[in-house]
Every structure is written in structure tokens, then in C-alpha cells.
Amino acid sequence: MDKTIVKGMAVLEALVASPEPVGVSELARQVGLTKSNIHRTLQTFVELGYVASLNGRYSATLKIWQQGAKVIERLDLRHTIRPIMDQLARATLETVHLAISAGPEVIYIEKSEGVHSVRAFSEIGERAPAHCSATGKVFLAFHPTALRETLSQPLRAYTPRTITDPEQLEAAVADVRELGFAINRGEWEAAVGGVSAPVWGPDNQLIASMGLTLPLSRFTDENQATLITQVRAAAAEASRALGASPGIAGARLVA
């Protein structure tokens, strides 16, 4: 085993796991290397584009996610997960989306249309703000850098219900992390709501978020629990199909 590569990956993984930029001394303590080793390793990653430096502190860049996205493409998400999305759409009669992270936004990469004449319309390839969409909040909770990137800029208000206070958003994201699903009630579009859950892949890495989008008039107190259960079950089934371990794929389904 090449010790240089092992040390480099330890540094990179520590940066990915950190919720905020980290200094050389702190990294040295975390991974058990000398500051000179840490500094040389960081400079290499900076030159390669995997790490960014600001005021002597370092953070992982989206290049790591971009490389992961290529793995996602090889997994053929759309082919594997589309039948599960179709099944969820038939069961709920609502539109189902599959989204991937793009930092402070998410990108819809697949959808299965609901049957209602009145429904939330969207296009594959469309982007949504992460801080006020259900699919986006999943990434804020479980993606290693999405929350930090989102909070690095002002939170735009799209409706009166949009969370624009960073502390309130962090609290909401903590709830998503605890519960294992996210809800949006008119935060991006005033009359539209949604519920979403994470889709995990091999090595229990977050791959995508799967969720329903529907008019708030059909997202009621009476059917909310049922819709949440259906979405979580479908996301867990998709996770198993992608090779996630049974433990994480079914996490909190009985919570």
C-alpha cells in the first residue's frame, strides 16, 4: 500500500467531512501528520483543483462531486431507478422527481409524471434552489459540502415561506438529518409542496434524492404521513437497487 496516497486521501477525506474550512494545524491533529506533510499535500490538491484555499484555511471543492457524478452516470441511475419512480407515481398519482446536487442547487435528472390534470410542471435538467426545495434539503442534510456552499451566499426569498435565516436553515437541515426525509410547503413556489428522501449507493454514498412534487391543495395533514412513508420506502428500494447496504437503505423507515 502506497503510504503517500493513503496520507493524501486521509487529508482529502477530512476536508470533505468538515462542515467548514480547516487550517493546517487542525488538519494535522485530525489525521496525525506533521504540518509540513499536510501543507505539501494541500498544495498538490489545490493545484489539481480538489481543494480551495482562503485566508489560510482549506475546503474541498465541487471537483470531488464532479468525479462522483461520473460514477453515477456509469451506475445508469435512470435505467435502474425509473421503474421504482413509476411505481411511486402510480401509487400516489403524483409527479416523482430524481435530483442530484449542484452545490446550492439541485438538478432534476429524471421524472415520472402524475396523472392529475392539475400538477406541478417541471423539466428534466431544470434546477431548483437547495434551501427551499425538498429534494435540495436532502443534500443539505447529507451531502458533505452542499450546506456550506449554500450558506456561503445570501439565501434568496422566493415566497413568504422561504427560509432566509442561516440559523433557521441549519436547524431545519438538522431535522432532515434526524428524520431521514425533507418537506417543502410553498417555500419555492407558493402553491407547490413536496417530500423527498435520500437515495444511497455503493459504499453508502449519497447518490440522489427522490421526491414527490404536488400542489399544496393535495398535500394535506391527512395524507402527509402516508406520502412520507411511500417516498421513504421507494427511496430505500432505489438505494438497495444501487448497492447500498440494507442498514442505510432502510434507515429510519420505522422511526
Side-chain angles (χ1 to χ4, degrees):
M1 185 179 296
D2 191 311
K3 292 183 179 180
T4 300
I5 295 176
V6 171
K7 293 175 182 178
M9 292 308 300
V11 172
L12 193 59
E13 289 175 358
L15 290 175
V16 168
S18 176
E20 58 187 19
V22 186
V24 171
S25 296
E26 186 177 350
L27 269 174
R29 287 193 299 271
Q30 288 183 20
V31 301
L33 298 175
T34 65
K35 289 193 288 185
S36 60
N37 278 337
I38 293 291
H39 188 265
R40 286 196 300 269
T41 301
L42 287 172
Q43 292 308 307
T44 299
F45 282 132
V46 168
E47 292 180 14
L48 292 173
Y50 288 97
V51 171
S53 172
L54 179 64
N55 299 326
R57 300 182 72 80
Y58 298 84
S59 59
T61 70
L62 271 181
K63 187 172 182 179
I64 296 172
W65 178 252
Q66 291 166 351
Q67 299 306 312
K70 295 176 183 178
V71 177
I72 291 174
E73 292 175 2
R74 290 199 296 273
L75 289 172
D76 196 4
L77 276 181
R78 298 171 71 177
H79 174 76
T80 302
I81 298 180
R82 180 56 191 264
I84 300 170
M85 296 173 62
D86 289 343
Q87 183 179 20
L88 180 60
R90 288 193 297 271
T92 62
L93 308 180
E94 305 293 355
T95 298
V96 180
H97 286 108
L98 189 70
I100 60 173
S101 178
E105 299 179 310
V106 293
I107 303 173
Y108 296 124
I109 62 170
E110 186 60 283
K111 71 173 182 176
S112 184
E113 290 281 9
V115 301
H116 294 284
S117 58
V118 178
R119 58 184 184 269
F121 287 95
S122 61
E123 298 291 339
I124 294 175
E126 183 179 345
R127 292 173 178 256
H131 69 287
C132 54
S133 59
T135 50
K137 290 179 186 177
V138 166
F139 286 103
L140 298 189
F142 298 108
H143 187 277
T145 62
L147 180 59
R148 182 172 71 235
E149 292 176 55
T150 298
L151 293 177
S152 69
Q153 56 193 14
L155 300 173
R156 176 182 170 184
Y158 291 86
T159 77
R161 296 184 178 182
T162 304
I163 298 175
T164 58
D165 179 80
E167 291 186 358
Q168 291 182 10
L169 182 62
E170 288 181 319
V173 168
D175 289 340
V176 174
R177 195 175 296 118
E178 172 65 25
L179 296 171
F181 64 88
I183 286 178
N184 158 37
R185 283 189 171 276
E187 297 175 43
W188 182 25
E189 297 181 60
V192 178
V195 55
S196 186
V199 175
W200 307 93
D203 299 322
N204 298 333
Q205 298 296 307
L206 179 64
I207 297 294
S209 59
M210 181 189 297
L212 298 176
T213 303
L214 68 165
L216 284 181
S217 60
R218 292 201 301 271
F219 193 18
T220 65
D221 292 339
E222 289 74 23
N223 70 2
Q224 175 174 299
T226 298
L227 293 177
I228 290 171
T229 298
Q230 290 172 304
V231 169
R232 294 168 76 189
E237 182 180 354
S239 299
R240 289 190 291 270
L242 291 175
S245 67
I248 195 167
R252 300 189 181 94
L253 282 179
V254 295

